[in-house]
Amino acid sequence: MLTGLNDSQKVAAQHIDGPLLILAGAGSGKTKTITTRLAYLISIGIDPASILTLTFTNKAATEMRERAYALLDNINYPPLLCTFHKFGLLFLKFHIDKLGRKNNFVIIDSDDKKKILKTIDKDITTSVLASEVSKYKNSTMSIEEVKASAQDKYHMKIADVYEKYENYIAQNNLVDFDDLLLLTYQILEQNEDLAIATSQRYQYIMVDEYQDTNELQYKLLKKLCTNHNNLCVVGDDDQSIYGWRGATIKNILTFGETFENALTIKLEENYRSTTKILFHANSLIEHNRDRLGKKLVATRGEGSSVKLYESGDENEETRKIVDDIKKLVESGESAQDIAILFRVNALSRALEEGLVRGNIKYKLVGGIKFYERAEIKDLIAYFRVITNSNDNFSIKRIVNKPKRGIGKTTIDKLEMESLKEAKSIFQIIKEYTPEQLSQLVGKKNSRTLKVFMASVEDLQDVLQEAKMRFIDLFEETFDFKSTYDKLIDTDDRHANIDEFYGYLRDFFMTNPDLSLEDFLNEISLESAQDGINDEYISLMSIHASKGLEFKHLFVIGLEEGFFPIVGDGSDIEEERRLGYVALTRAKDNLTLSFVHSRFYKGRRAQLTKSRFLTESDLIKGSLTIEKNDAFKKDDLVKHKIFGMGRVISVQKAGKDLKLKINFGGNKRDILSSFVEKIS
């Protein structure tokens, strides 16, 4: 199984005990190396049940599983290979009772989360609230800590919303995505014996895309390593591009300090891109300071030069790219080998219009996802109620779909009664006599709700006996499609519902031992990349392109303000890493494009070409690049009085930096403007 690996890959694949960082450059055979290591561990007799491999997407987990198993003659039972969130889901099913919760919890998605937050507070923008709640959870902050850290009335109000939100989801036994990891961590933190037992169970842990981990994931991994230090992480500090959602590059940069005696192996042979493409990618990323350092070397030969398009505006830019794509397709190139990337999603508008005019089929990756469409979310809510009739949140969403005359006033009365009696809405409907229910919601609504309740229970019985029959009977019982009759897009919505039914049938046929609840949990963990279609060229943001590769690649919008994004809150090093990710998606042909003006947010703006074009050595001297005088830990510096020293820590001090420097054993705080860096 080691045949075909290069020397660095072989060392990594055969490493057994102790912490290991595989620093894997783009296209350097990262997946091949980690899957071979997984297969190698099993081949030398290590119990597969003691191996845990964690990924960020279902697609990555599936690919690794298939490739690892292909290397083994036979395998008695598989190791656990799944996403972080799937691991959290499995763990909570067994152990959430330690938090006083029941294991029939319901996973809510980001849209559900926002709806709950909006019912709590209508003044603060819901997306802001959702982001803050996620930030608190991924920083493992308790409600008390959040309140204590609030600096003003605004943040105190957000802290109050956070407390009410947490109370609501706990009372309704709901779990949001962040909870899948946070609650898992809290259980391990509060139960040392369980942490030790879990660590003993998973003696060998591997993590893919380690540069994308956040503080919570890091802490969870530390708990999983309570009883050993056999942690192998693979990642690329130059592809850390998710700082905006909490990922911290610090995790990979400090791996060697956090896990003692860690071995670092660099994979620098690139099997994806040509020499000319890698030359520009390497030139760009070398301008970053916060990196462990490596240089990709091409194995595929020189290749074609990188093309640079200069256009007057976005329409001229689109015409050039559409013409190129037409020629590629007419010459026999497959549409799935072609992609267009952009830093700012709004730039896709002109492209989409141009592709439609050019009769080129395209897939906008990261548009409205299938499972976020209103009709599909309604259908999922119905199935949630059937698997867990005590799910108030889902009942409120669908009790009047199709319309049954159950309005908001009735739903509010049912919810108030539910809180007062400490029973679910479904229990109220079921347990109250017709007379009691009539007093609460009126005679007509009482009859309607009793019929609804009986229908749900009938379907629950059918589900236990005949899962395939259940799907047909569900539509017959509720006439669900009629909810979307007489809409402009009725046909599309009906087609989406049929697609969902078909997917559910396929799931039951492929997984006869799994339940409807398993299906709902699986689709809750779907990722944006799982739906890329082979028949279309792909349009996507650079963030969405990570992990993918294309034979022919176009990157548009290389202007200051668009790429890189500049200004308050922007991180030029992360922007540069995004540039590196974009360039290294290309296999054979890469075209970069900039314009002199764009129509954006209602007006036409005059633009300057991106500094990245100069930094990547595509153009010479077109921009004055700001000198990067930032200091970081371990820099060697010289002071005119104290001599040479090593930087221990860095803090902001107004417009300057305050450096703690070790001058031969004497530690001093010195402002950065009084020292010079020694290269």
Side-chain angles (χ1 to χ4, degrees):
M1 67 179 61
L2 299 173
T3 305
L5 298 186
N6 63 40
D7 291 342
S8 296
Q9 291 172 332
K10 283 179 183 175
V11 174
Q14 295 176 89
H15 178 87
I16 300 172
D17 296 318
L20 170 66
L21 167 60
I22 303 174
L23 195 63
S28 63
K30 164 182 76 78
T31 303
K32 184 177 185 180
T33 305
I34 194 171
T35 51
T36 303
R37 181 174 187 267
L38 173 58
Y40 179 78
L41 291 176
I42 296 171
S43 74
I44 62 173
I46 288 172
D47 182 2
S50 69
I51 304 171
L52 170 64
T53 304
L54 297 171
T55 68
F56 277 85
T57 67
N58 293 316
K59 182 183 176 186
T62 301
E63 181 184 359
M64 284 188 185
R65 187 179 299 110
E66 290 173 351
R67 289 172 68 168
Y69 293 178
L71 295 171
L72 296 163
D73 292 332
N74 55 67
I75 182 167
N76 294 329
Y77 48 90
L80 183 54
L81 200 167
C82 61
T83 64
F84 271 94
H85 291 91
K86 179 67 177 286
F87 174 78
L89 170 63
L90 295 171
F91 184 88
L92 292 180
K93 282 293 180 183
F94 285 101
H95 302 295
I96 198 169
D97 61 300
K98 291 177 173 59
L99 296 175
R101 300 272 297 271
K102 293 181 180 179
N103 73 351
N104 65 340
F105 57 83
V106 171
I107 303 172
I108 58 171
D109 64 16
S110 57
D111 193 38
D112 297 330
K113 175 181 174 181
K114 287 176 182 176
K115 280 185 168 63
I116 295 169
L117 288 167
K118 196 164 188 175
T119 64
I120 297 170
D121 187 283
K122 292 181 173 60
D123 296 330
I124 302 174
T125 305
T126 308
S127 58
V128 171
L129 287 173
S131 176
E132 288 296 298
V133 166
S134 188
K135 185 178 75 176
Y136 298 149
K137 293 192 176 191
N138 283 295
S139 300
T140 64
M141 293 176 71
S142 67
I143 292 169
E144 292 72 28
E145 288 171 329
V146 170
K147 287 185 172 182
S149 66
Q151 299 292 318
D152 50 41
K153 287 183 179 178
Y154 176 73
H155 286 94
M156 275 300 295
K157 189 174 184 182
I158 292 178
D160 184 53
V161 172
Y162 179 44
E163 182 175 26
K164 290 176 180 175
Y165 170 77
E166 286 292 89
N167 290 338
Y168 180 90
I169 64 172
Q171 288 165 4
N172 287 277
N173 206 18
L174 305 176
V175 168
D176 66 26
F177 259 42
D178 297 321
D179 285 333
L180 291 173
L181 301 187
L182 178 61
L183 299 182
T184 297
Y185 168 71
Q186 287 175 346
I187 291 168
L188 292 172
E189 173 74 4
Q190 294 166 18
N191 298 271
E192 187 177 354
D193 289 346
L194 180 59
I196 292 170
T198 306
S199 184
Q200 286 173 336
R201 178 177 181 180
Y202 301 113
Q203 285 288 319
Y204 296 90
I205 299 174
M206 290 193 280
V207 182
D208 188 27
E209 304 287 10
Y210 187 66
Q211 78 281 346
D212 295 335
T213 53
N214 59 27
E215 185 178 351
L216 174 55
Q217 287 158 334
Y218 162 76
K219 287 184 173 181
L220 179 56
L221 286 170
K222 289 286 283 183
K223 284 294 170 191
L224 294 175
C225 291
T226 298
N227 208 46
H228 62 79
N229 65 352
N230 298 327
L231 176 65
C232 166
V233 302
V234 59
D236 184 0
D237 53 330
D238 291 333
Q239 296 186 71
S240 178
I241 59 173
Y242 296 113
W244 52 276
R245 71 179 188 197
T248 171
I249 193 173
K250 178 186 73 175
N251 289 350
I252 193 168
L253 293 178
T254 62
F255 183 82
E257 300 167 24
T258 308
F259 297 92
E260 289 184 12
N261 303 315
L263 173 66
T264 298
I265 297 173
K266 296 181 181 181
L267 305 184
E268 297 176 297
E269 291 183 50
N270 177 282
Y271 298 94
R272 176 188 298 153
S273 308
T274 60
T275 298
K276 287 184 176 177
I277 291 171
L278 290 185
F279 168 76
H280 296 294
N282 284 328
S283 298
L284 175 63
I285 201 61
E286 282 170 1
H287 285 75
N288 270 6
R289 301 193 54 80
D290 284 334
R291 60 192 299 258
L292 295 170
K294 65 184 176 312
K295 193 160 189 172
L296 294 179
V297 179
T299 60
R300 296 188 56 230
E302 196 75 5
S304 304
S305 297
V306 174
K307 286 167 67 175
L308 180 63
Y309 278 159
E310 177 179 3
S311 305
D313 61 20
E314 67 274 19
N315 296 317
E316 182 186 347
E317 175 184 62
T318 297
R319 282 195 297 274
K320 291 176 181 176
I321 292 172
V322 168
D323 285 346
D324 280 359
I325 292 173
K326 276 185 174 178
K327 288 174 187 173
L328 287 169
V329 173
E330 287 167 4
S331 70
E333 293 291 343
S334 172
Q336 66 175 323
D337 289 330
I338 305 169
I340 308 173
L341 307 185
F342 35 79
R343 172 68 180 93
V344 178
N345 286 318
L347 299 193
S348 73
R349 181 192 60 81
L351 282 173
E352 291 187 69
E353 290 177 359
L355 291 167
V356 169
R357 284 195 299 270
N359 199 28
I360 298 171
K361 292 182 178 179
Y362 68 91
K363 169 82 172 179
L364 182 62
V365 179
I368 296 178
K369 303 184 187 98
F370 183 76
Y371 295 110
E372 291 178 355
R373 296 178 187 274
E375 62 273 19
I376 301 304
K377 288 178 71 65
D378 290 342
L379 196 47
I380 289 170
Y382 254 111
F383 287 173
R384 283 177 176 172
V385 171
I386 290 165
T387 57
N388 174 18
S389 53
N390 294 323
D391 178 3
N392 275 8
F393 183 77
S394 296
I395 283 180
K396 289 192 298 176
R397 182 179 181 107
I398 52 87
V399 73
N400 199 42
K401 292 180 182 179
K403 289 182 178 179
R404 301 182 177 90
I406 307 297
K408 185 177 183 303
T409 303
T410 301
I411 293 171
D412 288 345
K413 285 178 181 177
L414 287 166
E415 187 168 37
M416 289 295 292
E417 192 74 359
S418 170
L419 291 170
K420 184 177 126 185
E421 296 296 325
K423 292 181 178 181
S424 70
I425 290 174
F426 194 89
Q427 285 176 303
I428 298 288
I429 298 169
K430 181 178 181 179
E431 295 174 10
Y432 278 29
T433 65
E435 292 72 27
Q436 287 174 311
L437 199 55
S438 295
Q439 287 178 358
L440 180 65
V441 298
K443 188 176 284 187
K444 184 183 175 185
N445 285 341
S446 173
R447 284 197 301 269
T448 302
L449 291 169
K450 285 287 187 183
V451 170
F452 172 80
M453 178 269 298
S455 298
V456 169
E457 290 190 327
D458 287 344
L459 285 166
Q460 287 173 335
D461 292 337
V462 172
L463 186 60
Q464 298 302 314
E465 299 165 8
K467 288 186 282 192
M468 290 303 197
R469 172 66 183 139
F470 160 79
I471 300 170
D472 295 326
L473 192 60
F474 171 82
E475 183 62 38
E476 290 173 22
T477 302
F478 290 120
D479 193 18
F480 178 73
K481 286 185 184 176
S482 68
T483 309
Y484 309 99
D485 288 347
K486 300 178 182 176
L487 297 177
I488 296 174
D489 57 351
T490 292
D491 290 342
D492 287 342
R493 289 177 185 258
H494 284 183
N496 289 333
I497 293 166
D498 287 334
E499 177 77 8
F500 188 90
Y501 288 155
Y503 187 26
L504 178 56
R505 283 192 185 92
D506 185 62
F507 178 85
F508 283 154
M509 288 172 65
T510 310
N511 307 280
D513 297 326
L514 296 184
S515 66
L516 179 60
E517 184 181 8
D518 294 320
F519 173 77
L520 294 174
N521 286 332
E522 284 294 330
I523 62 174
S524 294
L525 302 173
E526 290 282 349
S527 73
Q529 289 183 8
D530 290 345
I532 293 177
N533 192 310
D534 291 353
E535 298 174 5
Y536 304 85
I537 73 159
S538 297
L539 269 66
M540 67 184 81
S541 69
I542 296 165
H543 281 102
S545 76
K546 187 163 174 296
L548 303 176
E549 59 184 30
F550 299 94
K551 194 173 176 182
H552 308 282
L553 187 73
F554 301 84
V555 184
I556 69 162
L558 279 145
E559 303 100 28
E560 289 289 298
F562 284 95
F563 195 20
I565 291 175
V566 292
D568 291 342
S570 66
D571 178 346
I572 191 61
E573 294 223 342
E574 181 154 318
E575 290 292 309
R576 199 173 281 115
R577 291 193 291 270
L578 268 169
Y580 176 79
V581 166
L583 270 57
T584 54
R585 299 309 94 199
K587 295 168 70 176
D588 294 350
N589 297 300
L590 174 63
T591 301
L592 305 182
S593 175
F594 71 93
V595 300
H596 292 293
S597 78
R598 285 192 189 279
F599 193 77
Y600 184 61
K601 290 186 177 178
R603 64 184 182 86
R604 182 156 295 282
Q606 297 302 309
L607 305 169
T608 308
K609 63 177 75 76
S610 170
R611 71 188 75 184
F612 292 168
L613 297 174
T614 303
E615 293 180 354
S616 60
D617 274 334
L618 267 163
I619 56 178
K620 303 292 182 185
S622 298
L623 284 174
T624 302
I625 307 300
E626 293 178 22
K627 189 179 177 184
N628 190 340
D629 286 325
F631 289 81
K632 68 180 191 303
K633 186 181 176 185
D634 292 331
D635 277 348
L636 199 60
V637 297
K638 184 177 180 181
H639 187 274
K640 63 181 181 181
I641 303 294
F642 304 120
M644 288 175 55
R646 181 80 62 181
V647 176
I648 300 170
S649 65
V650 181
Q651 285 183 306
K652 283 189 176 180
K655 293 184 179 179
D656 215 331
L657 294 173
K658 183 172 75 173
L659 310 176
K660 184 176 282 294
I661 305 171
N662 185 348
F663 293 101
N666 294 317
K667 297 175 183 178
R668 301 178 184 275
D669 290 333
I670 304 287
L671 292 175
S672 59
S673 53
F674 290 88
V675 296
E676 61 179 346
K677 198 175 301 182
I678 300 172
S679 58

